[in-house]
Amino acid sequence: MAYAAISSLMYTLNQLLKPNQSFVFLSSTQQHVESLYQNLSALQDFLDDTTTKDIETLKVIEKRIRNVVYKAEDRIDSSLRSIILADREDKRQKACTSFYEELLKVEQQVYFLNKEVMLIEFNNHGSKSAELARISSSLEKSTIEENTIVGMEDDFNIILDRVTTQTDELTVIPIFGMGGIGKTTLARKVYDDSYIRSRFDKQAWVTISQEYNERQMLLELVSSITGSKQETSDDELMEIVYRGLKGRRFLIVIDDIWSTKAWDQMQRTFPNDDNRSRILLTTRLKYVADYVSCPDFPPHSKSFLSLEDSWNLFTEKLFKKDHCPPLLEKTGKHIVKQCRGLPLSVVVVAGLLGKMDPTHDNWKKVEENLNSFFGTVSEQCQSILSLSYSYLPQYLRACFLYIGGFPEDMEIGVSKLIRLWIAEQFVNSRSNKRLEVVGEEYLEELIDRSLILADRLTARGRRRSCKIHDLLRQLCLREAHSENVVHTMNWKVPISLEALFDQRSAITRTFISMESFSTCFPKGIYSIVSQLKLLKVLDVLSIECDFSWVIPQLVHLRYVAATIMEDVSLVNLRNLQTIILEGYYGSTELRQPLDIWTLSEIRYVDIRGTLYISNPLVAENNSIGKQALFLNNLQTLCLNNSPFVAEIIRRTPNLKRLKILVHCRTILDSVNLLEKLETLYLEGEVIFSGNILPSNLKKLSLAYTWIAWEDMNLLANLPNLEVFIGYSAFHGTDWKLNEDVVFRKLKYLQLCECLNLQRWEAGSDNFPMLEKLLLRMLVELEEIPPSVGEIMTLKLIQIDRCSSGVEISANKIQEEQQSWGNYELHVEIIDNQSTLKQLLELFENESLNSEEICQIADDIRSI
């Protein structure tokens, strides 16, 4: 987190160097701010460029940098807070003098830190990381191997088919996935298969690990190919390997490769004689797998085990060929379920339970103390998993550790996660891209490195949510706690003030309530939060308390999500980037104006309840020089209500996403000015006419707009529209699309509660790119147009509570397509009554644990 600490302080200093922040400066202050900024930048460059193999020395340096920079930021921020909150000129002058003195001290400390760091010599020949990689790699093999492929039969057959395919050219077959998921086990099973061995003249297995050693690789290849060890130069070793393989059909397994550079150096060793030779390669990094793969053979992603396969692997490891005693099965399955399908975890659990007598009492004690037990499991897996963290570039480490602060098994919203990363200054600008886009790239890198699990997608195919495996979350928490950057608490039980204050041993910068457990918080929680004077992130939206008087005191906030019952001033919160505020709950009367017009850094605004954004014209009249006020950084604006929507939209020219509750039917005249708008949600009646929406629009959602179906056809004029969702959006009995109405890029079409729609006439040419059609509660619609099935790109038709005619036509379309050999089109008809019955039956199952009962209860409520 040293890198992130530097980024945070550099952001603060950069803000001070902007013209509108000159209120802080004495005449001689600016040059010292610039000097401090440059020294911090040098430290960050140092961390970026460090390629040392000496992990232990690097950890010492990072800790030293982190401690100095955190303390420096605390001193700077404390002094700035005094300036910002000063209510008299004499107090302000005194605070400015104090800030200057603190700045000089911090400048000196960072200067000497820079010198100190540059003088430290790394042990570049140090083999600690390489040794760790070898130990971890061998541990993973010994832990999972023994040619056990329980639950991997499908994976084995896929790889077997690729190895034995009739393609003549040399083919690389990559397998990727997180540490401990069984990549090496799968590769070993293929490598040792007697049928495979009979097909190849030469076979060799080399393990690369994190630090690529070309000589070691060549020695292993020579030993496998010639059957003897030879000590000679690297060039001669390469020649021996090349000649030993030339003209022969070979199978090479390259296990645990970590870089494309290593592959570039290796591949020249292998001749391509078009004789069906194969290279099987395993890696944790998707970008490496993509880099080495052939066009006809995409990388194979090794998936997690199902619960059934996990149980079979567990019993095979623990009981060999015997069956698990029936008395232990229920408890054992509950324990194994906590492994979340990771083979490494299953095998470690089997090993630990194998050390105790297999009695019901012993296993029951384990079940009752799962947290403690899986702490031991985690410790035994960490040497394997920690390599993935050690190999992360500096800019990704803080992003990864941050995820460990989210509750176990939580589905993490991607957009919120990225907003938090930005507020914490984890996301740096890159190639003139928006920070939100860079944050998405960071997330993809973590997914590609098998550290984060991709979860649900949006209608446009973007990441909606992600998850983290429990063992990797434990890795996050271990690393984060060792760096004193993340403290988590269990809010599901009542907590005292003393317990909360015990968590504040270090200065707290982030306070997030993840769940709605308002009854568990101590009385006066807002008073506690008010003591965290240097907070950068405050998310207490789930706590039913009024934070109106707290927020204005937290002048360093970059992210705030809270409920407020009184008017609140944000004038001193100049660094705010995200605002999510809820006003009086349950009331529609506008009572609380919110002035955001001085917040030049703001990127995300979500105003709910009785809150509304104040009139920008008034703010402009009150500004110095009465200048126009524009929020040029604002990317997302969500307004439930506001009497000044048109004026607000005109002053937010760079919006990418807009969600508004419409009270002015001509609001689209203003929306049309937003040339960069990509996502629009409108709720309420509007007037459609002509070119009514920005041409850049990619996703459009309409609710209760009640426009005519003829106006829907106007949306075909949007050249980039990919997603359309309509909820009670139209009125009329007929929707007819002429051949000149073409939604050229539309991929996702969802229509809900168009209650009086009876007839829909359309052809495949009207939706040439459609992939998903979702119809909900269309109770009068007679049928889906038969020609919809002829859309070449269509993959899914989903029907939910529609007329029987719609269901029959959907099934008929699928049958017709299958008769023509198209099995890509899936039809889903959601039977809520049947689903409800199944859930109620599960709910009555006495073997369920509390977590499973809660999940089923949520599913029942959703129906």
Side-chain angles (χ1 to χ4, degrees):
M1 295 289 283
Y3 190 90
I6 294 171
S7 293
S8 183
L9 182 50
M10 288 176 66
Y11 173 83
T12 299
L13 297 175
N14 189 53
Q15 294 302 102
L16 294 179
L17 292 171
K18 291 183 177 180
N20 62 343
Q21 300 291 334
S22 58
F23 72 97
V24 172
F25 288 134
L26 296 173
S27 57
S28 57
T29 305
Q30 182 167 346
Q31 66 185 55
H32 294 288
V33 172
E34 291 174 346
S35 173
L36 176 56
Y37 186 93
Q38 289 168 1
N39 277 312
L40 288 168
S41 181
L43 284 173
Q44 197 168 56
D45 290 343
F46 168 81
L47 291 173
D48 260 332
D49 297 338
T50 298
T51 57
T52 178
K53 301 174 184 178
D54 191 351
I55 290 178
E56 296 306 315
T57 302
L58 183 57
K59 282 185 175 181
V60 171
I61 293 175
E62 287 181 336
K63 183 177 180 180
R64 174 77 176 128
I65 293 174
R66 185 175 66 246
N67 290 342
V68 171
V69 174
Y70 274 150
K71 289 177 181 177
E73 186 178 33
D74 292 344
R75 297 174 79 163
I76 293 289
D77 283 353
S78 295
S79 299
L80 285 174
R81 184 175 185 273
S82 298
I83 296 173
I84 294 169
L85 294 180
D87 55 2
R88 295 201 316 262
E89 183 59 26
D90 60 327
K91 287 185 178 181
R92 180 183 170 282
Q93 290 297 331
K94 183 178 179 181
C96 284
T97 301
S98 176
F99 169 77
Y100 180 72
E101 293 170 352
E102 291 293 337
L103 177 65
L104 294 181
K105 294 175 184 177
V106 168
E107 182 188 11
Q108 186 179 47
Q109 290 170 349
V110 173
Y111 172 79
F112 284 115
L113 172 65
N114 221 324
K115 294 295 184 184
E116 177 184 337
V117 166
M118 299 307 170
L119 289 173
I120 293 177
E121 291 188 12
F122 285 107
N123 174 16
N124 283 313
H125 303 289
S127 59
K128 289 186 178 179
S129 61
E131 181 182 354
L132 175 62
R134 287 196 297 272
I135 292 172
S136 299
S137 182
S138 61
L139 174 61
E140 184 170 4
K141 294 180 184 65
S142 63
T143 304
I144 314 180
E145 253 183 34
E146 301 175 17
N147 281 353
T148 300
I149 63 161
V150 176
M152 299 186 192
E153 291 82 2
D154 290 342
D155 297 293
F156 175 76
N157 290 329
I158 290 171
I159 300 303
L160 194 68
D161 287 345
R162 294 185 180 183
V163 170
T164 58
T165 187
Q166 299 303 306
T167 303
D168 289 337
E169 65 181 307
L170 175 63
T171 302
V172 182
I173 306 164
I175 305 170
F176 78 94
M178 71 175 282
I181 205 166
K183 303 181 297 294
T184 300
T185 303
L186 177 59
R188 176 61 72 180
K189 182 63 177 177
V190 173
Y191 183 79
D192 289 340
D193 185 83
S194 57
Y195 172 66
I196 292 295
R197 298 189 78 87
S198 68
R199 291 178 58 88
F200 295 96
D201 304 318
K202 294 288 183 178
Q203 288 181 276
W205 181 293
V206 291
T207 300
I208 305 303
S209 295
Q210 197 170 9
E211 299 296 341
Y212 172 61
N213 185 319
E214 184 177 40
R215 180 169 181 80
Q216 183 64 33
M217 179 271 296
L218 290 171
L219 287 171
E220 289 184 34
L221 283 174
V222 168
S223 177
S224 296
I225 292 168
T226 67
S228 63
K229 294 184 178 180
Q230 300 187 37
E231 290 294 337
T232 184
S233 69
D234 289 358
D235 288 342
E236 290 175 345
L237 288 173
M238 190 177 296
E239 183 70 18
I240 292 171
V241 172
Y242 190 87
R243 288 186 177 181
L245 297 177
K246 184 65 177 172
R248 296 174 174 85
R249 183 184 297 177
F250 59 82
L251 172 64
I252 308 293
V253 175
I254 301 172
D255 186 32
D256 200 22
I257 187 169
W258 286 77
S259 73
T260 56
K261 182 179 179 182
W263 169 250
D264 287 338
Q265 294 177 1
M266 292 180 68
Q267 66 172 334
R268 55 184 177 170
T269 309
F270 309 119
N272 183 4
D273 295 319
D274 290 332
N275 60 358
R276 301 181 187 174
S277 292
R278 301 289 182 260
I279 296 175
L280 189 57
L281 178 148
T282 73
T283 181
R284 301 187 193 189
L285 309 177
K286 185 176 182 296
Y287 76 89
V288 173
D290 288 334
Y291 183 82
V292 306
S293 65
C294 305
D296 295 334
F297 297 97
H300 179 71
S301 175
K302 178 66 185 70
S303 56
F304 291 96
L305 300 179
S306 67
L307 179 56
E308 180 183 359
D309 288 332
S310 295
W311 175 248
N312 291 337
L313 175 61
F314 170 79
T315 54
E316 181 173 310
K317 285 292 182 181
L318 189 56
F319 300 108
K320 308 304 178 186
K321 296 183 179 180
D322 297 330
H323 293 289
C324 175
L327 189 62
L328 300 178
E329 188 166 327
K330 177 182 172 183
T331 303
K333 284 186 175 179
H334 185 216
I335 294 171
V336 170
K337 185 178 180 181
Q338 311 312 310
C339 296
R340 305 291 191 264
L342 185 67
L344 171 65
S345 182
V346 174
V347 172
V348 170
V349 166
L352 291 173
L353 289 180
K355 294 177 182 178
M356 60 179 69
D357 293 333
T359 66
H360 180 265
D361 287 344
N362 282 341
W363 282 27
K364 198 66 181 175
K365 288 178 183 176
V366 170
E367 184 183 30
E368 292 169 353
N369 297 278
L370 283 177
N371 287 340
S372 173
F373 178 74
F374 272 90
T376 305
V377 173
S378 176
E379 288 175 5
Q380 296 203 13
C381 297
Q382 288 308 304
S383 59
I384 293 173
L385 300 178
S386 61
L387 271 180
S388 294
Y389 175 72
S390 299
Y391 199 71
L392 278 177
Q394 288 286 342
Y395 65 87
L396 287 179
R397 293 190 175 194
C399 296
F400 175 63
L401 296 187
Y402 203 78
I403 295 174
F406 287 82
E408 187 175 337
D409 299 326
M410 183 178 185
E411 187 178 295
I412 304 167
V414 165
S415 58
K416 177 178 179 177
L417 176 63
I418 291 174
R419 289 197 301 272
L420 287 167
W421 282 351
I422 291 172
E424 300 281 7
Q425 290 304 303
F426 296 164
V427 180
N428 297 323
S429 57
R430 176 190 281 181
S431 303
N432 295 320
K433 296 177 181 177
R434 292 185 298 118
L435 292 178
E436 290 79 4
V437 173
V438 178
E440 290 177 3
E441 292 175 352
Y442 283 12
L443 181 68
E444 288 302 314
E445 287 187 59
L446 289 172
I447 290 172
D448 289 350
R449 291 172 179 272
S450 305
L451 287 169
I452 301 299
L453 308 177
D455 201 27
R456 294 191 298 150
L457 298 176
T458 67
R460 285 176 58 194
R462 303 174 73 176
R463 303 286 181 202
R464 182 185 297 278
S465 61
C466 62
K467 289 184 176 181
I468 183 170
H469 192 278
D470 289 353
L471 287 180
L472 286 170
R473 180 175 180 270
Q474 290 298 319
L475 171 63
C476 284
L477 293 177
R478 286 172 187 270
E479 293 290 339
H481 280 296
S482 71
E483 299 191 18
N484 199 31
V485 294
V486 173
H487 295 280
T488 60
M489 299 190 70
N490 178 15
W491 299 110
K492 295 187 179 182
V493 295
I495 185 170
S496 66
L497 292 177
E498 291 79 8
L500 182 57
F501 274 109
D502 283 345
Q503 292 292 315
R504 301 197 304 109
S505 56
I507 292 182
T508 304
R509 294 289 187 166
T510 299
F511 189 99
I512 302 176
S513 166
M514 297 290 184
E515 301 287 353
S516 181
F517 300 114
S518 57
T519 57
C520 299
F521 282 94
K523 187 176 181 180
I525 182 66
Y526 41 83
S527 299
I528 297 169
V529 172
S530 70
Q531 299 302 310
L532 309 177
K533 301 180 186 299
L534 303 184
L535 273 183
K536 301 285 179 74
V537 172
L538 175 65
D539 187 343
V540 287
L541 197 61
S542 62
I543 305 175
E544 295 178 6
C545 293
D546 178 17
F547 288 86
S548 302
W549 69 274
V550 176
I551 292 172
Q553 302 298 313
L554 305 176
V555 299
H556 293 298
L557 281 179
R558 299 170 186 162
Y559 183 113
V560 61
T563 299
I564 58 174
M565 299 300 181
E566 305 292 340
D567 292 353
V568 63
S569 172
L570 303 178
V571 67
N572 288 329
L573 280 62
R574 299 167 181 264
N575 295 321
L576 265 181
Q577 298 172 342
T578 293
I579 299 175
I580 305 171
L581 293 177
E582 177 86 61
Y584 289 91
Y585 183 75
S587 174
T588 57
E589 180 185 353
L590 296 181
R591 306 183 191 177
Q592 299 166 271
L594 194 69
D595 188 349
I596 65 171
W597 298 105
T598 59
L599 307 178
S600 60
E601 298 298 309
I602 200 71
R603 309 185 68 85
Y604 184 98
V605 174
D606 185 353
I607 304 299
R608 310 171 186 175
T610 56
L611 289 165
Y612 66 95
I613 295 178
S614 62
N615 191 343
L617 296 175
V618 174
E620 288 172 354
N621 286 332
N622 294 333
S623 66
I624 299 175
K626 300 185 184 299
Q627 59 184 0
L629 299 173
F630 291 92
L631 300 179
N632 292 320
N633 286 318
L634 189 61
Q635 306 290 308
T636 298
L637 177 61
C638 305
L639 290 176
N640 281 354
N641 218 334
S642 182
F644 313 112
V645 172
E647 290 82 0
I648 292 168
I649 289 175
R650 292 189 186 101
R651 288 160 178 80
T652 54
N654 296 318
L655 278 181
K656 292 287 184 178
R657 180 171 178 262
L658 175 62
K659 177 181 179 180
I660 52 176
L661 184 65
V662 178
H663 286 277
C664 173
R665 299 185 70 194
T666 60
I667 188 63
L668 295 183
D669 292 337
S670 300
V671 173
N672 195 33
L673 299 174
L674 300 174
E675 296 179 356
K676 298 181 180 180
L677 194 68
E678 294 182 356
T679 301
L680 175 62
Y681 174 94
L682 292 175
E683 181 175 337
E685 293 188 46
V686 293
I687 297 175
F688 274 63
S689 62
N691 296 322
I692 40 125
L693 294 171
S695 61
N696 197 47
L697 204 63
K698 296 179 180 178
K699 178 180 179 181
L700 175 62
S701 301
L702 301 179
Y704 305 109
T705 49
W706 305 114
I707 63 176
W709 284 107
E710 292 80 4
D711 291 335
M712 169 64 177
N713 296 346
L714 293 174
L715 299 179
N717 295 325
L718 295 172
N720 296 299
L721 189 66
E722 297 176 1
V723 175
F724 178 81
I725 300 172
Y727 189 93
S728 295
F730 306 99
H731 69 82
T733 58
D734 294 78
W735 182 21
K736 182 178 181 180
L737 291 93
N738 298 323
E739 61 181 17
D740 60 334
V741 178
V742 181
F743 292 83
R744 300 190 182 281
K745 289 190 178 181
L746 193 70
K747 298 179 181 179
Y748 181 102
L749 174 61
Q750 179 175 331
L751 300 175
C752 308
E753 284 198 18
C754 303
L755 299 180
N756 55 352
L757 177 63
Q758 298 174 11
R759 289 168 293 277
W760 177 16
E761 297 181 30
S764 58
D765 291 340
N766 297 123
F767 304 99
M769 301 296 291
L770 192 65
E771 296 178 2
K772 295 182 180 180
L773 173 64
L774 290 81
L775 305 177
R776 306 191 191 285
M777 293 178 283
L778 305 185
V779 295
E780 294 189 26
L781 182 63
E782 295 173 358
E783 66 173 2
I784 301 173
S787 57
V788 164
E790 299 171 12
I791 300 174
M792 300 296 293
T793 53
L794 192 63
K795 298 176 182 177
L796 173 67
I797 299 176
Q798 188 182 85
I799 309 299
D800 180 6
R801 289 165 285 180
C802 294
S803 67
S804 58
V806 171
E807 294 183 6
I808 292 170
S809 62
N811 286 325
K812 186 177 179 180
I813 287 171
Q814 184 182 39
E815 291 170 3
E816 186 177 66
Q817 288 300 305
Q818 289 179 351
S819 70
W820 294 341
N822 176 15
Y823 292 91
E824 297 296 317
L825 175 60
H826 297 279
V827 172
E828 296 179 4
I829 298 178
I830 299 174
D831 184 352
N832 283 291
Q833 292 303 315
S834 174
T835 303
L836 181 59
K837 183 179 179 181
Q838 293 174 8
L839 288 171
L840 288 170
E841 289 174 354
L842 284 172
F843 196 71
E844 295 170 358
N845 187 341
E846 295 180 357
S847 67
L848 295 175
N849 59 45
S850 58
E851 179 184 329
E852 292 167 327
I853 290 173
C854 289
Q855 180 59 56
I856 292 172
D858 287 342
D859 292 340
I860 291 174
R861 279 193 294 270
S862 69
I863 294 177

